[in-house]
Amino acid sequence: MPERLYGIRHHGPGSARAVVRALEADPPDVLLIEGPPEADDLVRWVVDEGLQPPVALLGYAVDDPGRAAFWPFAVFSPEWQAISWAVRHEVPVRFFDLPYAYRIAPDPEVAPPDEPPRRPVDPIGELAAAAGYDDPERWWEDVVEHRGVPVFEAIAEAMTAIRETAPEDPEDLVREAYMRTVLREERRRHDNIAVVCGAWHVPALARKVAVKEDTALLKGRRKGKAAITWVPWTYGRLASWSGYGAGVRSPGWYHHLFTSADEVVPRWLVDAAGVLRAEGVPTSSAHVIEATRLAETLATMRGRPLAGLAEVTEAAEAVMCDGEPLRTELISRRLVVGERLGAVPDEMPAVPLARDLAAQQRSVRLKPEATERTVDLDLRRDTDLRRSRLLHRLRTLDVPWGERTARRSTGTFREEWRILWQPEFAVRLVEGSMWGTTVVAAATARVVQRARAASTLAEVTALVETCLLADLAEAYPAVLAALDTRAALDADVHHLMAAVPALARTLRYGDVRRTDVAGLATVTAGLLGRICAGLPSAAGSLSDAAAKQLRDGMDGVHQAVGLLADERLRELWLTTIESLATRPDLHGLPAGRLTRLLLDAGRLDAAEVRRRLRLPLTVGTPPAHGAAWVEGFLSGGALLLVHDDALLALVDDWLADIPADAFDDVLPLLRRTFGGFDAGERRAIGERVAGARPGGGQAVATVDPERAATVLPVLGALLGRELSAIPPLPTIPSLSTIPPLSTTSSEET
């Protein structure tokens, strides 16, 4: 008897039910599934309790793991349900698509295309357009998902009509030639054959093609060495917008359709209400009832057999979300797409690196999840310290499971991470296995390799800090040797200054992580000595851009010296910048900044700083130099001006000493500097100067009658009357003396 071809839509719950019904009605002797033949030995895992969809078959080239491909499966995928049925009923299962080994070994005689081959038409879209639907998924829901009846013959006929006029994809022709070859083999062994494949391939498999034609298509193709295994997948990656070509936009909705035998719409809206309640949105049973009625009414008005995703979404937005798009988006992310992450058994064949990672995840109780969450780590606790090291080690292997987030607190004992597991990390682990069989061994080897290949000092200093954060003690000797070599060869002062902050952090906080950093202090001291020796020559004849780079570099070194807590190095640094700050040819930006650093360090008194502040305003000084000097002195100091009384008084006294005839020339310089502060910071500075702070004295506003009289003609013209004098103004109290508004009624206010 001829084989039965079940053309399905990948990840379609209606197709899944229809396939299972067909297999139950007429059990086959063998089941052929569209998929890579290398996965035949993995079929038995489908009924294992530890293999929980969504999962995917991961195939990769053994000699180049970066060349990989995925074949995802969800619980509502027809292929998954067919395989599960066959394994439970002890029916042999065989994947009969083109082997992946052929795909990773392209024909050397054929130039690879610039873009991967794409199917020239969307078959579901063609059928939907012919039926008058603008949305292919809605058409599929109405015809297959909601009706729940087998339509394999009708779909095969429609696909045949489409393929007669559509251009062929060359890759599809090769795949279908191999599928027909496997079919011929199975016909010689079995009489009753069932085939589950994408509906697009059904016409090609049903058509009679000569053996020699298929042989010609497959002739000369080379095979590579491929490996394949099961890996966890997510509904987010299954969605079509995540790049999987045979995906669906709403895997969470299809999961609901497949797992809910009845009351599909009310059950969905109950789940949506739960999502909203979890976020603090009041949602009652009355909302669910009204939303259900609205969804069913919309379906009736649109002539649909049942309410679909569009109707329940619109009903939920109108009734339960009060028209708020953000709430609707929340339901879409949590339910329509879904945040489900699959799982694979611990015994599943995998590379040793992946096994070691799984063991460490269990050890530190950090479970990979498809939902993003924040983890706050206290490095004084052993478990949190091991979690931090694991996340840092994975980042060295290009597995960014966690991303460090900035903390408001400057404490060194805590870290905050945002963690989110992505399915493609499985490929990264396969690639990383070339460096070692455990996470720590692979991370160590990777860091050593990067240190030896580093071409700049900045690359090596970043690796020094990586060794600290990831606790890669065995990588330290190679990294320190590379650091010493690069530092000796690099004569650029800017590169040397950029390297010091990371080294200082490593020395300062190494004990927090219980990391041995012996030998690093000597290298850091040597770098600082070379910086102090080369800084004077690097500070001459600077452009504006170079001056900014120098200022930023000196800021970083100054902070690093404070972290080192080495009095000898601190004195060396302060002596160097003290002599540099007095150079007359120094650009205004670093000159002003060095004066500020020396003031903060206690090397200059207020009188000397006040004198230096006046110098940029002297006759003959270019305005640009004066503006840069003031900007350098006050850069990054808005909050310090608010909270440091001595610094605020110093700047205030300097401004008060500026002669009236010179103030107009100084004003643009001040605007340039203070314009870089936030509006709130500028307001706070003004209030502090005006005395508007707790405990501040009464500020008095004075009026100059002569200056005020100059506006009288214009003001009189606007008011339509003649103004000749300004009445005396009362004393204006400061903000701190104005009583707060009471919380009385609007009439009393």
Side-chain angles (χ1 to χ4, degrees):
M1 60 181 297
E3 61 274 0
R4 296 182 305 284
L5 303 177
Y6 300 128
I8 51 90
R9 184 192 185 204
H10 298 294
H11 316 305
S15 295
R17 289 198 183 98
V19 165
V20 172
R21 284 195 297 267
L23 294 175
E24 290 282 1
D26 189 2
D29 297 330
V30 65
L31 176 65
L32 302 184
I33 301 288
E34 179 184 344
E38 293 90 345
D40 284 347
D41 293 337
L42 300 175
V43 167
R44 61 184 179 87
W45 292 95
V46 169
V47 294
D48 191 291
E49 294 182 357
L51 189 65
Q52 302 174 8
V55 292
L57 288 169
L58 163 62
Y60 58 91
V62 174
D63 56 348
D64 184 10
R67 298 169 61 190
F70 294 97
W71 290 265
F73 297 88
V75 69
F76 51 82
S77 299
E79 301 94 333
W80 179 269
Q81 290 298 321
I83 295 173
S84 300
W85 179 91
V87 174
R88 288 194 304 269
H89 291 80
E90 299 182 352
V91 174
V93 178
R94 181 177 178 182
F95 287 108
F96 78 125
D97 203 346
L98 184 70
Y100 184 59
Y102 285 131
R103 303 188 187 188
I104 59 177
D107 189 343
E109 299 179 359
V110 180
D114 295 334
E115 295 184 0
R118 297 177 180 177
R119 187 160 294 157
V121 294
D122 174 15
I124 303 301
E126 295 283 347
L127 293 177
Y133 284 77
D134 58 353
D135 182 3
E137 294 211 16
R138 172 171 290 189
W139 174 85
W140 190 272
E141 285 183 359
D142 286 354
V143 174
V144 179
E145 314 296 356
H146 289 162
R147 298 186 187 276
V149 296
V151 290
F152 298 121
E153 295 80 3
I155 291 178
E157 183 180 351
M159 290 296 170
T160 301
I162 293 176
R163 292 198 64 166
E164 286 177 353
T165 58
E168 295 288 1
D169 186 337
E171 183 66 22
D172 276 347
L173 295 179
V174 175
R175 292 174 58 198
E176 290 162 354
Y178 187 87
M179 292 179 185
R180 287 191 293 267
T181 301
V182 175
L183 265 177
R184 295 186 189 103
E185 294 178 6
E186 293 300 328
R187 285 172 188 151
R188 292 193 292 267
R189 302 173 185 171
H190 304 283
D191 295 329
N192 192 354
I193 303 173
V195 177
V196 177
C197 63
W200 177 260
H201 302 296
V202 170
L205 300 182
R207 187 172 64 247
K208 292 185 178 181
V209 179
V211 175
K212 63 178 182 180
E213 294 183 15
D214 289 341
T215 303
L217 285 173
L218 298 172
K219 184 178 180 181
R221 297 187 68 90
R222 301 171 55 190
K223 293 181 66 174
K225 189 175 182 181
I228 200 161
T229 186
W230 288 108
V231 295
W233 202 249
T234 67
Y235 277 174
R237 282 293 181 268
L238 195 64
S240 57
W241 50 263
S242 295
Y244 177 55
V248 291
R249 291 194 296 267
S250 49
W253 168 252
Y254 279 166
H255 180 98
H256 178 76
L257 286 179
F258 186 77
T259 56
S260 300
D262 56 2
E263 302 293 345
V264 173
V265 173
R267 293 178 187 275
W268 173 266
L269 292 172
V270 167
D271 292 341
V275 170
L276 295 176
R277 288 173 186 153
E279 297 297 326
V281 179
T283 311
S284 66
S285 57
H287 286 90
V288 176
I289 294 171
E290 288 301 318
T292 302
R293 290 173 177 170
L294 179 56
E296 293 173 348
T297 302
L298 287 173
T300 301
M301 294 175 61
R302 295 169 180 174
R304 305 196 63 188
L306 290 174
L309 179 59
E311 285 73 31
V312 295
T313 299
E314 293 175 22
E317 182 174 5
V319 178
M320 302 166 64
C321 301
D322 296 328
E324 288 287 343
L326 291 179
R327 296 179 184 176
T328 308
E329 183 181 344
L330 176 65
I331 294 175
S332 175
R333 186 173 65 252
R334 298 278 181 85
L335 294 182
V336 178
V337 174
E339 298 172 334
R340 189 180 299 267
L341 173 66
V344 298
D346 296 337
E347 301 80 12
M348 178 66 61
V351 293
L353 180 61
R355 288 183 174 278
D356 181 68
L357 173 59
Q360 293 198 43
Q361 288 170 335
R362 292 191 297 270
S363 175
V364 300
R365 298 190 296 277
L366 201 59
K367 183 179 179 181
E369 296 176 340
T371 55
E372 183 178 289
R373 63 189 180 100
T374 300
V375 178
D376 193 3
L377 303 181
D378 185 345
L379 302 183
R380 293 167 293 186
R381 298 171 52 190
D382 184 66
T383 300
D384 284 355
L385 180 60
R386 289 190 293 126
R387 287 176 175 176
S388 173
R389 289 171 176 171
L390 177 61
L391 292 172
H392 281 293
R393 288 169 182 172
L394 289 175
R395 292 185 65 82
T396 67
L397 298 174
D398 299 322
V399 182
W401 182 17
E403 295 284 348
R404 286 276 299 274
T405 58
R407 290 180 53 86
R408 294 183 179 179
S409 171
T410 58
T412 60
F413 288 99
R414 307 193 76 88
E415 285 182 350
E416 191 174 280
W417 291 82
R418 244 187 0 258
I419 61 174
L420 175 66
W421 185 262
Q422 302 285 3
E424 56 266 27
F425 291 165
V427 179
R428 306 279 181 88
L429 291 174
V430 175
E431 293 176 318
S433 63
M434 65 178 292
W435 303 106
T437 57
T438 65
V439 175
V440 63
T444 299
R446 186 75 176 100
V447 168
V448 170
Q449 185 271 339
R450 287 179 178 174
R452 291 172 178 168
S455 58
T456 65
L457 183 60
E459 294 178 33
V460 184
T461 52
L463 292 175
V464 172
E465 196 165 18
T466 297
C467 288
L468 164 72
L469 299 173
D471 189 26
L472 303 176
E474 295 186 7
Y476 254 117
V479 174
L480 288 181
L483 176 64
D484 197 28
T485 301
R486 295 309 316 172
L489 296 176
D490 202 330
D492 192 318
V493 174
H494 295 290
H495 293 171
L496 299 178
M497 287 193 296
V500 169
L503 302 180
R505 287 193 298 269
T506 304
L507 287 169
R508 178 67 178 84
Y509 303 131
D511 56 340
V512 175
R513 293 178 166 273
R514 311 169 202 171
T515 305
D516 184 12
V517 291
L520 187 59
T522 303
V523 177
T524 306
L527 281 179
L528 188 60
R530 293 181 59 194
I531 291 172
C532 292
L535 190 58
S537 60
S541 303
L542 297 175
S543 64
D544 291 343
K548 185 178 184 302
Q549 183 184 11
L550 182 66
R551 180 201 64 181
D552 295 341
M554 292 189 302
D555 276 347
V557 173
H558 190 77
Q559 294 175 4
V561 170
L563 290 176
L564 292 175
D566 187 319
E567 191 59 34
R568 182 182 64 84
L569 295 179
R570 181 176 183 274
E571 183 64 27
L572 174 64
W573 171 249
L574 291 179
T575 301
T576 301
I577 63 175
E578 199 169 18
S579 62
L580 184 62
T582 57
R583 278 179 43 174
D585 64 332
L586 185 62
H587 191 283
L589 190 64
R593 189 58 186 160
L594 291 178
T595 301
R596 172 68 177 280
L597 295 179
L598 292 170
L599 172 65
D600 294 342
R603 303 295 283 253
L604 295 178
D605 56 21
E608 174 61 18
V609 173
R610 195 177 298 112
R611 183 189 71 81
R612 295 190 183 189
L613 277 168
R614 293 193 188 101
L615 291 179
L617 306 179
T618 56
V619 177
T621 303
H625 177 82
W629 203 101
V630 175
E631 181 182 353
F633 183 79
L634 296 178
S635 62
L639 293 179
L640 283 176
L641 284 174
V642 175
H643 300 291
D644 190 332
D645 292 337
L647 181 62
L648 182 63
L650 181 64
V651 176
D652 192 30
D653 292 343
W654 167 66
L655 289 173
D657 290 342
I658 298 175
D661 56 350
F663 190 81
D664 289 345
D665 297 330
V666 177
L667 187 58
L669 312 183
L670 299 177
R671 286 184 180 276
R672 172 175 168 174
T673 300
F674 283 85
F677 299 158
D678 292 337
E681 294 173 339
R682 295 197 300 268
R683 183 168 56 252
I685 293 172
E687 291 174 352
R688 288 294 305 276
V689 173
R693 63 184 185 274
Q698 174 127 348
V700 179
T702 58
V703 177
D704 184 345
E706 294 183 1
R707 294 184 63 189
T710 59
V711 303
L712 290 179
V714 177
L715 186 59
L718 293 174
L719 298 177
R721 55 179 297 184
E722 183 178 355
L723 300 176
S724 57
I726 296 292
L729 295 177
T731 299
I732 301 176
S734 69
L735 293 178
S736 61
T737 63
I738 299 176
L741 291 175
S742 62
T743 57
T744 57
S745 66
S746 58
E747 291 84 358
E748 293 172 341
T749 302

